[in-house]
Amino acid sequence: MVQFHEHIISDLLEDPTAGGGLVVLSAGLGLHKLIAGLLHLHHPSQGSLLILSATPSQKHSILTSLNNPNPEITNTPSEITSDLPVHHRLSLYTSGQASFITSRILIVDLLTHRLPVSAVAGIVLLNAHLLSETCTEAFIVRILRASNKDVYVRAFSDRPHAMVSGFAKAERTLKCLFLRKLHLWPRFQVYVSEDLERDPPEVVDIRVPMSAYMMGIQKAVIEVMDACLKEMRKTNKVDVEDLTVENGLFKSFDEIVRRQLDPIWHTLGKKTKQLVSDLKTLRKLLDYLVRYDAVTYLKYLDSLRASESFRSVWIFAESSYKIFEYAKKRVYHFKRSNGETLTTPSKSVKSKKRKLDDKDKEGIDSPVMNGNSGVMLEEVLEEAPKWKVLREILEEIEAEREKQATTNDDRDAESDQDDNGIVLVACKDEHSCVQLEECITSNPNKVMRGEWEKYLLSKVQLNALPKRNKKKTQAPKGFGILDGSVPLTPSKGVEGSTSSIVTQENDALLAAATEISKQAEKGIEVVDEPQVSVGGKGKGKRNSKGTNKTSTKNVSSKKDDKNKTESVSESEPNKVENLTIGGSVLKKHVEGKPIPPVHFHAYESGQQILDVLKPSAIIVYHPDIAFVREIEMYKAENLSKKVKVYFLFYEDSTEVQKFEASIRRENGAFESLIRQKSMMMLPVDQVAHGLGLFSANETESPSKQNMVTRKAGGQKEARKEMQVIVDMREFMSSLPNVLHQKGMNIIPVTLEVGDYILSPSICVERKSIQDLFGSFASGRLYHQVEMMTRYYRIPVLLIEFSQDKSFSFLSTSEISDDVTPHNIISKLSLLALHFPRLRIVWSRSLHATAEIFASLKMNQDEPDEAKATRVGVPSEEGVVEDDVRAENYNTSAVEFLRRLPGVTDSNYRAIMEGCGSLAELALLPVEKLAELMGGQKSATTLREFLDAKYPTLL
């Protein structure tokens, strides 16, 4: 453990009366090791320690850190899930061990008193930046602190920028957890800097120049992004300070913009909504440019053109055509047979745009290439500039090691064992790892050709799909209008030559694709996937072709047929001799220069790989600030080990800008937190202040005492405790927490009918706006309301809006007078007509819902838990208790009656009153039916249906 981790733990433990604290530290400073250190200090005699809100990768990292110093440790944290029976969970609660548990299981066990509060020593909360006043974790802490004030709460977060989003986020988090101590540990903190800079690793910063086309694409994307931001500034709906290209490089930019626009989202026009989506797409384009190869990037652009061509604003920006043009030039060129480049006669921007938009439909309308066209497809297949540099770095590392080995023959055995010779290459995702490994073990040109062949084969498959509008072969109409301007009438010669060039290019692409598909079918050329790893001096190999772990990434050209595992324990050095390097490609590419054993690591896997592999050289292929800190931590914990780090940046790229901006953003977040900490307004007794409303010995103010002196000489009324029965599934929302804050007793059970039972006669089905739309679409809401109407006298549909959004379904302009099947207002109106006893309640927010529930419970009896759980559940005899309709009607016969032709919701009750059974109904004449059904047409329809002959096969 590094020294500043000990300082953090000592700060948390120095004041036991404080009840814990909130720790915010920089990303990559070993949060999992810090938690593992706290778990080492926990003793079963203190009570159980519950770990909340841990992600699967965090659990794995904590358990790995616990087992690293002592693999034979016995008291490793267990995991409490809903699959465990109640008695097993109780035994774990009372064992005094540390346990991972989800907040939903813990809150239910607390409310049902399955968990003895006195057996809990404390809670460790991870990802504290996700907490809010109404979250389930805050609910848990309030219940525990109300019953046991000695319980400590230790919350942790390694996302400082998330702790400054919104108003006073850190202060509100402290208040909801009843804490008073905020511990800040940035990278520039004195103890952290001393530890990490005592013996820093050797760093080599390599700036790789981007190709001309990559620079052109990057410049064009930034210009388009700037144009979109200018358009958004015109709306006057967003804070202008946040709308910068630098902020647009981060994912949090979408959250910032969406948070500002959420309250007025329904009032925004389609263009503004599309701009928010376009900025996200443009950020991906910048990220993918430096991350993926040219063919993958082109394929992603093709998918964007197909999916967003008529909705997007950015595609019709002035510089957008350059993105598509340069991306194609990185992959292929078209030339005539005489060597001339294939271009359109017009040099204007409009003609280029038109050419591009037409060219995007490659391979759709041209089945076969015209042999007399004279157009040649010239493959460019530009390799990523970093690929060559990566290969050179690996060769340089191996050459240095060989040179060092020859000069230092008298090195002791310990240093040989300490240096295992592994080189770690760190990338953002699995796709990059697989591709880089192929580049090292094979020829990069072969990798690009494999991607190119997949791209062409996808064109063949697209061309083979059935055409929807085969007759509409004429030129598309209104193209200039989509572009935002009406072009002047061009000359016929220019337009004709453009369309012919596009047709020729399409034919050439399809011909190349068809040729490759034929070769694949015949088996002439099989793209083999190398299964070997190149090892230097027989030191080891990396077993990279696994069978389990597949990567999932939102890129069209993902290599679905290649799987990859991150396991390094399967490295078997002695198998190197048994491998045969197939093919002459590798021999030609290597040219006798060996490379060291290489392991590839993806950031998205979330695994802490450095402590397991212990590499001596690290190549950061995609720079990431959190991983840089992990390298610093790794070196600080292994002072005797020599570590050399290579950073690969694209020169003058957004990659550099984003990395530097992330450092500035983190430092700015900590500076803001330091200022907030100096001005925080926290109660002296945070716990007593937060729980004072619910304590039994609450002392009332003199004014309140004087108010009741008129009633029977100051006799105090006994306050009735309100109870609410809540369905288990509702604990995914924050409403039970708010109801508990209002002083209501929450009883969690599994309900078949309704979500909340307020009294024996009031049942509430709660719907958020998103859930309401989904329930209408699936038809689930109709069934839920029907069940409530059957078993309860007052069924209530609660429609709950979000507090930070507008209190309306639609904007005023979208509300129409007509009833339409797709309008939410029309659907609600039909629901109210169909179920007259249904009450619809509108709530502005969670707190408004709690007030509504309190008012609905006035002068009502408290609900019975046993009866509520039996409602809707048939007994062994098949009888359902408390079925209001079943007391007077045969419910099956009523449902059958309502489905007969001519029977509607307005006349089925009159039919039931006029005849006693379905058999009697079948014998009624048309005149009597017309009298009961309120019309001759309905009666005739029903009579014809009843008298119709049943067709048989005999």
Side-chain angles (χ1 to χ4, degrees), residues 298-493:
L298 177 62
K299 198 168 184 180
Y300 179 65
L301 279 174
D302 284 351
S303 68
L304 282 183
R305 175 65 68 87
S307 61
E308 300 187 2
S309 56
F310 296 106
R311 295 194 307 271
S312 294
V313 179
W314 74 270
I315 281 186
F316 303 109
E318 187 175 355
S319 302
S320 64
Y321 79 96
K322 295 179 184 176
I323 303 172
F324 294 92
E325 189 73 23
Y326 292 154
K328 287 185 178 181
K329 286 181 178 178
R330 292 179 69 197
V331 181
Y332 59 82
H333 286 301
F334 285 109
K335 285 191 175 182
R336 298 189 185 277
S337 54
N338 58 5
E340 294 178 4
T341 306
L342 199 62
T343 55
T344 55
S346 174
K347 301 292 182 183
S348 68
V349 171
K350 281 180 186 174
S351 67
K352 283 185 181 179
K353 284 187 184 178
R354 179 154 194 154
K355 169 190 168 186
L356 271 169
D357 287 321
D358 288 337
K359 194 195 292 184
D360 186 55
K361 300 167 187 170
E362 306 170 25
I364 293 178
D365 297 322
S366 306
V368 186
M369 173 183 170
N370 185 0
N372 300 323
S373 62
V375 176
M376 296 173 58
L377 177 66
E378 183 182 354
E379 300 170 359
V380 178
L381 302 182
E382 177 183 284
E383 297 174 10
K386 278 188 182 181
W387 288 3
K388 183 180 178 183
V389 178
L390 175 64
R391 178 78 200 190
E392 290 173 354
I393 292 172
L394 290 172
E395 291 173 356
E396 178 188 327
I397 291 172
E398 186 62 20
E400 283 182 4
R401 287 180 179 172
E402 289 179 357
K403 184 178 179 182
Q404 193 173 5
T406 54
T407 55
N408 301 331
D409 290 333
D410 300 329
R411 292 169 64 188
D412 55 342
E414 291 182 4
S415 59
D416 279 337
Q417 291 175 1
D418 185 46
D419 185 8
N420 55 13
I422 292 178
V423 177
L424 181 69
V425 179
C427 310
K428 276 191 177 178
D429 54 27
E430 301 280 358
H431 179 274
S432 301
C433 291
V434 174
Q435 199 169 57
L436 287 176
E437 184 185 7
E438 288 182 355
C439 290
I440 290 173
T441 57
S442 177
N443 194 327
N445 190 27
K446 186 177 180 182
V447 175
M448 289 300 297
R449 179 154 296 281
E451 293 289 345
W452 169 242
E453 289 175 359
K454 287 182 183 178
Y455 176 74
L456 289 177
L457 289 173
S458 68
K459 290 283 183 185
V460 173
Q461 293 168 2
L462 184 64
N463 187 57
L465 293 176
K467 316 295 186 299
R468 287 186 180 178
N469 302 321
K470 203 169 183 180
K471 295 180 182 179
K472 298 181 181 180
T473 55
Q474 61 266 30
K477 296 180 181 179
F479 186 83
I481 298 170
L482 281 177
D483 199 18
S485 61
V486 180
L488 299 173
T489 55
S491 62
K492 290 184 180 178

Side-chain angles (χ1 to χ4, degrees), residues 650-662:
Y650 278 117
E651 195 171 6
D652 299 327
S653 69
T654 54
E655 188 178 44
V656 179
Q657 188 180 354
K658 184 176 180 180
F659 183 76
E660 293 172 350
S662 62

Side-chain angles (χ1 to χ4, degrees), residues 85-100:
V86 177
H87 63 279
H88 284 178
R89 296 209 297 267
L90 180 61
S91 65
L92 286 172
Y93 290 144
T94 55
S95 65
Q97 301 292 335
S99 303
F100 291 103

